[in-house]
Amino acid sequence: MATVTFKNNPVTLLGKEVAVGDVAPDFTVLANDLSPVTLADSKGKIRLISVIPSIDTGVCSTQTRKFNEEAASLGDDVQVLTISVDLPFAQAKWCAAEGITNVQVLSDHRDLSFGEAYGTIIKELRLLARSIFVVDKNDKVTYVQYVSENTDHPDYEKAIEAVKQLTN
C-alpha cells in the first residue's frame, strides 16, 4: 500500500491500491444534484481523476482550479473528475463561487465507493488521500500518483502529460 502522511503524521489508507496497467475499478459517487455517477458513465473517454481531501482548503482548491483550467484545452475526448468526501451541496456552492465549469466535482461522502475501490480512504480522518489517476478509453489505468504528503500538491505536469499521450 502507498505510504502517505497528513501534516507529516502517518495515516492508514483503506481499500485496494490501484496500479498502472490495472483495469480501473468502477465506483458510484454523487453529482451535486445527488444523482449517481459511475466510471462507466464516461466509458469511451479518457478520464483524469483528481482526488482531494476537502474542496474548501488551499491545496485542494488550487488543484481543482488548475485541472479546471487545463480541462478546457484537453478536448472533448477527455473528462476531468474531481472527487472528495465533501457534501454535494458544499461542492456545488464552492464550484459556483469559483466558476468551475470544465471539471465534474463529485462526492464520495455517502458510500466511500471510490475510496474503497482506489485505496484512498484515510482511516483516521474519513477523508480521501490526495491522488491522481488517468484512465484510458478502454478503462485501463495509465497513470497513478498517490501524493505522499497530503498537504503537498500533486505533479500537475506529469498528470496532464499522461492525458496528452493518450490523445495523440
Side-chain angles (χ1 to χ4, degrees), residues 151-168:
T151 60
D152 290 345
H153 291 270
D155 191 328
Y156 300 110
E157 291 74 28
K158 280 188 181 178
I160 295 301
E161 184 56 35
V163 170
K164 288 180 177 177
Q165 287 178 4
L166 296 173
T167 62
N168 295 335

Side-chain angles (χ1 to χ4, degrees), residues 4-11 53 57 122 125 127 130 147-152:
V4 172
T5 58
F6 191 90
K7 296 184 179 179
N8 297 313
N9 295 307
V11 294
T57 61
I122 300 174
L125 302 172
L127 296 173
R130 187 175 316 283
V147 180
S148 59
E149 167 52 52
N150 263 274
T151 60
D152 290 345

Side-chain angles (χ1 to χ4, degrees), residues 24 42-47 134-142 166:
S42 57
K43 182 118 176 114
K45 289 190 177 249
I46 298 162
R47 279 69 50 100
V134 176
V135 179
D136 73 9
K137 292 180 180 185
N138 299 311
D139 294 341
K140 180 181 169 189
V141 177
T142 63
L166 296 173

